[in-house]
Amino acid sequence: GNTDSVCEMSKREASHAGSWYTENSVELNGQLSQWISSVQDKTRAGVKAIIAPHAGYSYSGPSAAYAYKHLVPHSVKRVFVLGPSHHFYLKGCALASSDVYETPVGDILSDSEVKQTLLQTGHFDVMQKHVDEKEHSIEMHLPFIRKMMGNQQFTLVPVLVGSLDSKRQQLYGEIFAPHLAS
């Protein structure tokens, strides 16, 4: 792609690199490779959703690798990451304001088309960049996703999830369902 246009885009820094996981791209790439290659499970075809931990990699790296081992790049064009909000109270869900998510192993483009579609429902807030960078729950998944996707092109839909009652859980389930089906 055109690197000039990427520079003008809003970039969310990998703010937890260097504390929750290494900021050294070579070291991180090696850790991810080691954790993923040590998973003995066979990759399952047709996986539509992954549930993985979002703790620091010294605690959760090997466990997260078990989940991400089942990500089959050629069947994926868009990745939704739903992360719980630990620092910012909201009663619904919020979408990222950033266009690009930085990781030490490569940047990931946010899906602006899906973001606009979701915003048009009227049920999403927009998360300010400082809120996004303080939160770790989405970021911790991104190096694994970037690593597993390799050179395959894809976009990211990061969603910060607030305190949802059962009625709101159902509402968001209905909003996300068509995206899961495609």
Side-chain angles (χ1 to χ4, degrees):
N2 181 346
T3 54
D4 291 340
S5 63
V6 171
C7 292
E8 294 169 17
M9 295 178 151
S10 166
K11 184 181 273 194
R12 190 243 189 235
E13 291 183 15
S15 56
H16 294 80
S19 55
W20 290 59
Y21 59 99
T22 181
E23 75 272 29
N24 180 304
S25 61
V26 174
E27 186 180 340
L28 180 57
N29 195 42
Q31 287 175 337
L32 295 169
S33 293
Q34 181 183 356
W35 291 328
I36 292 163
S37 66
S38 68
V39 174
Q40 298 301 313
D41 284 3
K42 287 191 164 79
T43 302
R44 291 166 177 80
V47 170
K48 292 270 190 174
I50 291 173
I51 298 173
H54 60 264
Y57 285 1
S58 61
Y59 304 104
S60 71
S63 297
Y66 274 89
Y68 283 107
K69 177 81 171 199
H70 303 290
L71 179 61
V72 181
H74 71 271
S75 66
V76 176
K77 63 181 178 185
R78 182 177 302 115
V79 177
F80 284 75
V81 176
L82 281 65
S85 181
H86 296 87
H87 303 285
F88 182 76
Y89 181 78
L90 71 157
K91 284 188 171 182
C93 292
L95 302 170
S97 57
S98 299
D99 302 308
V100 179
Y101 272 67
E102 175 187 74
T103 85
V105 292
D107 293 350
I108 303 173
L109 284 176
S110 183
D111 194 314
S112 57
E113 187 178 318
V114 170
K115 176 181 167 181
Q116 287 310 312
T117 300
L118 294 174
L119 285 173
Q120 287 169 3
T121 68
H123 296 289
F124 291 85
D125 291 326
V126 175
M127 153 178 43
Q128 297 303 312
K129 190 174 168 187
H130 74 276
V131 169
D132 195 355
E133 289 179 346
K134 187 173 182 183
E135 181 57 61
H136 67 276
S137 66
I138 295 170
E139 178 182 342
M140 298 309 292
H141 296 282
L142 303 183
F144 274 101
I145 294 167
R146 176 73 272 165
K147 173 73 174 171
M148 290 303 297
M149 291 301 289
N151 294 324
Q152 176 76 25
Q153 284 200 335
F154 72 101
T155 55
L156 177 71
V157 182
V159 181
L160 190 63
V161 180
S163 179
L164 305 181
D165 59 23
S166 58
K167 195 173 178 181
R168 284 188 185 269
Q169 290 172 15
Q170 182 168 346
L171 169 72
Y172 286 108
E174 290 167 3
I175 292 170
F176 290 128
H179 298 281
L180 194 59
S182 59

